[in-house]
Amino acid sequence: MTLGDELRISLDGKWRHVREKSRVELAGLDLAYDHDLNLEQARMRGLEQMRKLVPTGVPASGFKVENGGTGDPGMAVTGIGMLAQFDLSLMVKAGVQWGLFGGAIENLGTKKHHDLYIRDLINLDLIGCFAMTETGHGSDVQSIETTATYDIETQQFVINSPTPSSRKDYIGGAALHAEVGAVFAQLITKGENHGVHCFVVPLRDKEGNDLPGVTTSDCGHKGGLGGVDNGRIMFDHVRIPRDNLLNKYGQVDEGGTYSSPIDNVNRRFFTMLGTLVRGRVSVGGSASAACEVALSIAGRYALERKQFGPAPGDEVTLMDYRMHQRRLLPLIAKSYAYRFAQNQLTARMHRLQTTDEPDPQESRELEGRAAGLKAAQTWHATKAIQEAREACGGAGYLAENRLTTLKGDTDVFTTFEGDNHVLFQLVAKELLTAYAQEVGGLDPVGLVRFAAGTVADVVKERTAASQLIQRLIDARPGKSDDDHDLLDRGAQLDLFEDREQHVLETAARRLRRADKDDPKAAFEVFNAAQDHVIRAGRVHIDRIVLEAFTAGIARCEDQEAQDVLRDVCSLYALTTIEEDLAWFMGHNRLADTRAKTVTSLVNELLVKLRPHTLALIEGFGVPEDSLNAVMLH
């Protein structure tokens, strides 16, 4: 096998068989986005493409065997991510139907809901949407305004949009195809509000007409994702049966009495949201997959296109220019790093979701990690796809070369499943509260109230191959004048871990200054430290990504591939340090003389990796004939 084959095997991870099968099956389904279609045609084509996916087994894999699925959530996430290599509109529609809508039914409902809906939604005999976000509330889901008021006399819930800002907005499927919605609303019974719950609400009849009391509208053209029929929904006192409450975590009996296995309203809410973590895992993985396509296109183009040589007529391949290497190879290295981290995250999610009684602390850790990686991966995709477009010059701006489509389609991923800044705040909160049993949501007062006394133990809770990581750190070179100790993996790991611990401890100290009994004062302290809190989340993700990459190298069985991966990993580590060099110098982690060598060491790695550029691209596993970029033919 070639070096590219070995790198691909290493990157593919545990669900390699799913990726390999998808590369063949999906390529034969004609899934590439067609730019000549208008909005209506693109949406109808997306629905037709979804029907082609049902026989592949990917839709069924996300559901438990007893509910009609095949019980392989790792396959579900991997399979959805593979769609991003072909058409992101299709990936989003599939994610809404089988991930969000189907996930809400299975994870928030009980057996009666499973029996009634899941087989039909797997087979697309029932098409749904996930109606959470409102015009006035996105990330702050606890404050949504849609109400579900129980009527004791009729034993029905009345779903209502009481204000213009309570309109369900940006909902995938709501404009055209969704027949029912998993609708999130404030559950009110006997005059008491029990917080946000999820309800199955019929939206349209079989002819596609809005049902009485339901008003849907179309979001129209967006910056991308033309095949996704995003829409808006308003409810005017729509009545649904009591059994349409997805009642795993909250039930209302015939007489209107509410009960729940989780008494605390905040814990109940976050437990419900936590069961839907697969969505964030899928969004991050899909953004990375699209990014890999863009870098594959730009990388191959750079190996073909020539520019300015030392003499007229003597041109040089773009990839031989140091600046071009600087533009693309660090982005390729970071994409490798995120793939290893995604593999690890998917494996953790799979293990927890196939366990009868998952550990609550591990579940919270998974939620935080999924939030942070989603933010990091989507921001990386936005940056890398733009750089890939620019690196291809005018050709990159032509729709026929896909890069503009990839840019438009992935741009919203930074907003999907939570704004990235809010998600990093969530990551930091999990760290700062030392995984507290009860938290006050994402509100600043709650974050201040539970700020940890010490965070060292939290940082030491490593994410992968902990014995290997510790052994590398213990074996790192001592402080010396040898600049090349920065190429030592143990030294890199130690720098990342030390930075995280310092940022967390200083953030906790800043938050402890607040008067915990004065909400306004607590908010002011939090607001002043918010940038610090978000930095804590970001450096934590940097650390777990480096650890995941390190563990992935150890699992690689081919020596040549392992050697190349070591250099790619060092390139990721050193460019990350270079981007935050001011912090490392300002906090005396790197002296001036050693800091100056970071750039020179990066350049040395670029020289070593340049001959392996094509192999690194092939390692992404995007078949050349699936790139669909005319300029490469």
Side-chain angles (χ1 to χ4, degrees), residues 172-200:
L176 189 63
H177 295 146
E179 301 165 282
V180 299
V183 177
F184 288 78
Q186 303 285 351
L187 191 160
I188 300 170
T189 181
K190 293 184 175 181
E192 185 177 354
N193 188 334
H194 294 277
V196 175
H197 289 66
C198 189
F199 302 79
V200 178

Side-chain angles (χ1 to χ4, degrees), residues 4-5 8 12 16 18-29 32 81-86 289 292-298 300 339 402 406 614-630 632-633:
D5 292 331
R8 187 185 71 251
D12 277 355
R16 175 190 168 201
V18 178
R19 294 184 181 277
E20 292 287 15
K21 183 180 178 183
S22 295
R23 289 177 184 124
V24 176
E25 287 190 352
L26 297 181
L29 295 181
M82 289 300 293
L83 294 176
Q85 290 190 2
F86 295 87
E292 291 166 8
V293 173
L295 290 173
S296 296
I297 293 172
R300 288 181 181 275
R339 178 80 83 86
R402 284 193 74 186
L406 288 167
L614 181 59
L616 290 171
I617 292 168
E618 291 172 341
F620 287 139
V622 186
E624 188 172 5
D625 55 3
S626 295
L627 290 173
N628 294 317
V630 174
L632 298 180
H633 299 323

Side-chain angles (χ1 to χ4, degrees), residues 98-109:
W98 294 304
L100 294 177
F101 173 65
I105 299 293
E106 181 165 77
N107 293 302
L108 302 180

Side-chain angles (χ1 to χ4, degrees), residues 39-40 43 169-171 174-176 217-232:
L39 203 60
E40 182 179 357
R43 290 170 171 181
D169 218 339
Y170 326 116
I171 310 302
L176 189 63
S217 55
D218 198 327
C219 289
H221 288 277
K222 308 181 295 292
L225 299 176
V228 183
D229 52 322
N230 293 87
R232 305 177 173 105

Side-chain angles (χ1 to χ4, degrees), residues 148-374:
T149 306
Y150 184 64
D151 181 350
I152 296 176
E153 290 187 6
T154 62
Q155 296 186 25
Q156 294 174 324
F157 282 101
V158 181
I159 310 297
N160 192 48
S161 306
T163 65
S165 59
S166 67
R167 179 184 64 184
K168 297 296 181 183
D169 218 339
Y170 326 116
I171 310 302
L176 189 63
H177 295 146
E179 301 165 282
V180 299
V183 177
F184 288 78
Q186 303 285 351
L187 191 160
I188 300 170
T189 181
K190 293 184 175 181
E192 185 177 354
N193 188 334
H194 294 277
V196 175
H197 289 66
C198 189
F199 302 79
V200 178
V201 183
L203 303 175
R204 293 185 172 90
D205 60 25
K206 289 299 182 181
E207 284 71 45
N209 302 309
D210 289 349
L211 292 172
V214 176
T215 302
T216 63
S217 55
D218 198 327
C219 289
H221 288 277
K222 308 181 295 292
L225 299 176
V228 183
D229 52 322
N230 293 87
R232 305 177 173 105
I233 314 170
M234 290 288 283
F235 301 101
D236 184 5
H237 297 90
V238 175
R239 290 181 172 270
I240 60 172
R242 182 173 62 90
D243 282 349
N244 283 31
L245 164 65
L246 297 178
N247 63 332
K248 182 175 181 179
Y249 296 104
Q251 169 71 336
V252 174
D253 67 18
E254 294 180 1
T257 299
Y258 178 85
S259 60
S260 171
I262 304 174
D263 292 333
N264 182 280
V265 64
N266 285 321
R267 279 213 302 132
R268 182 166 65 239
F269 172 73
F270 283 100
T271 299
M272 285 193 289
L273 289 194
T275 65
L276 304 175
V277 67
R278 194 184 305 172
R280 281 182 181 149
V281 179
S282 294
V283 167
S286 297
S288 285
C291 178
E292 291 166 8
V293 173
L295 290 173
S296 296
I297 293 172
R300 288 181 181 275
Y301 183 76
L303 292 170
E304 297 177 1
R305 179 66 186 263
K306 295 182 178 180
Q307 281 276 28
F308 312 106
D314 185 16
E315 294 185 310
V316 175
T317 303
L318 283 178
M319 205 64 214
D320 288 326
Y321 281 98
R322 176 57 50 78
M323 195 60 225
H324 217 77
Q325 295 166 12
R326 264 272 176 181
R327 296 175 74 179
L328 294 183
L329 286 176
L331 296 175
I332 289 173
K334 185 170 282 191
S335 293
Y336 266 65
Y338 285 149
R339 178 80 83 86
F340 281 118
Q342 176 72 13
N343 290 346
Q344 180 197 104
L345 181 69
T346 302
R348 282 176 173 248
M349 181 211 73
H350 179 85
R351 178 170 56 81
L352 286 170
Q353 294 194 347
T354 53
T355 299
D356 291 335
E357 295 184 9
D359 179 78
Q361 178 173 316
E362 287 193 47
S363 295
R364 283 192 297 273
E365 290 172 354
L366 176 69
E367 292 162 30
R369 196 163 304 154
L373 272 174
K374 179 267 175 185

